[in-house]
Amino acid sequence: MQELQEDVPALGVDRVGDPTVPAELPAVGERRRERVQPSPRVRGEPAGDDEVDPAPHPLGVELGQAPVSARPLLEPGVHRTHQHPVAQAHRTDVERRREQGVRHRRTITGTAGPAHPRQNARAARKATYGDIVRRHDLVVIGSGSGNMVLSDEFSELDVAIVEATEFGGTCLNRGCIPTKMFAYTAEVADTVVDSATYDVGAQLDGIAWPALRDRVFGRLDPIAADGRKGREDSDFVTVYAGEARFTGPRTLVVDLHEGGSAEIEAERIVIAAGARPVVPPPIEQSGLPFHTSDTVLRIDALPRRLAVLGGGYIAAELAHVFHSAGSEIVMIDMADQLLGPQDESVSEAFTAIARDRYELHLGREVTELKGAPGALQLVLDDDTTVAADTLLVVVGRAPNGDSLDVDAAGLETHDDGRVAVDAAGRTSVPGVWALGDVSSPVQLKHVANREAEVVTHNLLHPDDLRETDHGLVPAAVFTSPQIGTVGRTEAQCRDEGLDYEVAQVDFADVAYGWAMEDETGFCKVLAERGTGRILGAHIMGPEAPTLIQPLAMAMTFDIDAAALSGRPYWIHPALTEVIDNALRQLSTTAGAKPGGAFGR
């Protein structure tokens, strides 16, 4: 990869022998100085010789072999100094604006208005750009994990962020964080209901839904607002409130929320636009109301009977929340088991538990939604009709690349719509990067955050690229019972023809499991026969998302089952003994010696 970097010149620098680029094309720093000091060019006005962009350098067939066509946004060793030409040009423009008493960054919403005071007594201007082209050194699309990219290391550059909804993205506003806050409340309610199991007299009077909703979002909404305000108050960031779409390789139009549009271009663009819920055509075309995971947690009142269309982890978590809050639940899914991608032991056990709690229609599709608001009727492909007052659609999520018109930029995509990237986060268009659900094969927040860290580093240090490895990503389902997983499932081990052993220990077989009176939890570990190399681990039961982490670490650092069990002390009688006991079984059956050395 290093050789490819040396073969491809930096973005904006003359490529010797390339007939598409004038030999006199100035270097990046010179171009930026020219762009900062004059007023923005009007759309349609011919560009001067110093504004000619080089043609995109094509990638190879394999994304992993994509060339790097990017110079560091700031040269190593001169971050936040006045020495770099880009920083110097930017600082000159900043100082000129400050001397004029005008704040040099704006929130672009679409409506021109009077200046409003800031804490430092400067004014921020709002503007409708209309036919003006605004240039930036770096533009980030999306303020979820994309917001992590804008570290202080970019403070000497002209940076922009575009957000179509709330600051903080899906995780903060309608995904990971609020759902877990609701799920914890559901867990507390379940504990009260089951209190007699522990000889405690208690009665659940119910969950005060409006109060719960207001408590959760009363904490999270201000965080989102503060995140936006922090960027608005930044001296180096412009906030565009609207929906972005590509018009060329590194040019965008933002349809602003309050009307109008802004045309912008940048030397680097990072796509972090996330994903959205998928709605099947029979539901979308029915004209009847339904909810998705984006909306259901903000409803005013609990459903009496909630139909949940879907059987994945989001469906399982939200079904748990509403069931514990008092709603009757009916789940409909095309698969024969809930949580189908999980290990077979987990999906079978969880489906059996769910069948005792909910009405299940598995292996079925919805062919029609009819009825009236509050009295919905879902017609299934076996002619069964399911009645519900509220419908929640959670059948999957689609990456938002199509809404960005990525084809107009020449960006390659996968069949499922994900923007194609290599392990470093580079797309097929030089200077354009992508991260998170819009491009990642693993739609999880901790994956998106890691990708944001990698892309940030690579933007600043293209000669020292880091890569993201999706090979061992732990995941969790915060339902009841909780689930934690990492590595291969047993079905994958069979399909790959691996020689493996399985150990499974129930929570009821360890002392803390007795204290919990747990009857359904278990820990399952798969290891390679003869070496004890851990191939996968799957836990269902209380605290499974926490319990899975030591197994994920062992797999990451190639610690075999015998070493993980025999070297560290395992606290007695902690719940972690369920892991230790499974590992000890593997130390015998897989052939590795207990107490072996870490690593290989």
Side-chain angles (χ1 to χ4, degrees), residues 155-293:
S155 62
E156 299 296 349
L157 299 181
D158 186 326
V159 177
I161 188 165
V162 184
E163 178 52 59
T165 57
E166 309 94 339
F167 250 69
T170 297
C171 179
L172 176 64
N173 293 285
R174 50 197 174 274
C176 326
I177 297 175
T179 55
K180 304 320 171 276
M181 296 175 73
F182 279 87
Y184 186 81
T185 298
E187 183 179 339
V188 172
D190 292 346
T191 302
V192 175
V193 170
D194 296 336
S195 62
T197 302
Y198 312 101
D199 307 306
V200 175
Q203 180 176 343
L204 180 68
D205 293 332
I207 290 178
W209 180 265
L212 168 60
R213 178 202 59 196
D214 294 347
R215 173 172 62 83
V216 170
F217 293 109
R219 168 171 288 193
L220 301 183
D221 288 349
I223 296 175
D226 288 347
R228 173 169 173 166
K229 185 176 185 299
R231 290 308 184 192
E232 291 173 341
D233 289 346
S234 170
D235 283 339
F236 69 97
V237 179
T238 298
V239 176
Y240 291 90
E243 298 179 357
R245 50 190 169 86
F246 281 92
T247 57
R250 291 184 301 280
T251 58
L252 299 162
V253 167
V254 181
D255 297 322
L256 301 167
H257 285 162
E258 298 182 15
S261 63
E263 183 175 353
I264 59 179
E265 62 181 36
E267 300 212 7
R268 306 290 186 277
I269 295 177
V270 176
I271 307 171
R276 64 186 184 276
V278 172
V279 180
I283 307 300
E284 191 171 31
Q285 298 168 7
S286 68
L288 292 169
F290 61 88
H291 285 282
T292 69
S293 56

Side-chain angles (χ1 to χ4, degrees), residues 348-363:
E348 290 172 6
F350 182 80
T351 301
I353 293 170
R355 198 178 297 279
D356 289 338
R357 298 174 180 170
Y358 315 142
E359 177 184 328
L360 299 185
H361 295 268
L362 301 180

Side-chain angles (χ1 to χ4, degrees), residues 532-547:
R533 181 171 67 95
I534 302 173
L535 302 172
H538 312 278
I539 302 175
M540 186 178 82
E543 303 303 326
T546 302
L547 293 172

